[in-house]
Amino acid sequence: MYIMGTILRHGTDRQKTAYLPKIATGELRLQAFGVTEPTSGTDTTSLRTFARRRRHYVVNARRCGPAALNIPT
């Protein structure tokens, strides 16, 4: 989400020179994460997912999205 704006506001001059022209022309496409919790929308501050570390990580989350993703819930 909004990678170009993030680089504009927070990137170094070197990062801006390296990435912004290529993003603007479509030569470079940067990816971002998608929020799939049903009550969050694009408000990532309202995410309820959390992980607890024990012998291994235990993740507590709700997910919604295309069933074809085949991700266990």
Side-chain angles (χ1 to χ4, degrees), residues 2 8 20 46 49:
Y2 314 117
L8 278 169
L20 291 178
S46 69
T49 298

Side-chain angles (χ1 to χ4, degrees), residues 7-20:
I7 293 173
L8 278 169
R9 282 188 297 279
H10 306 290
T12 65
D13 287 339
R14 186 175 178 185
Q15 290 169 328
K16 291 175 185 178
T17 301
Y19 297 114
L20 291 178

Side-chain angles (χ1 to χ4, degrees), residues 6-63:
T6 301
I7 293 173
L8 278 169
R9 282 188 297 279
H10 306 290
T12 65
D13 287 339
R14 186 175 178 185
Q15 290 169 328
K16 291 175 185 178
T17 301
Y19 297 114
L20 291 178
K22 292 178 183 178
I23 294 170
T25 63
E27 179 183 348
L28 177 64
R29 294 180 64 192
L30 296 179
Q31 303 299 316
F33 71 98
V35 178
T36 60
E37 287 189 12
T39 58
S40 295
T42 57
D43 178 13
T44 56
T45 62
S46 69
L47 291 172
R48 296 180 182 172
T49 298
F50 66 91
R52 187 174 291 125
R53 189 172 184 178
R54 304 230 171 122
R55 290 181 58 208
H56 56 278
Y57 281 97
V58 176
V59 178
N60 182 351
R62 286 186 60 201
R63 179 191 65 85

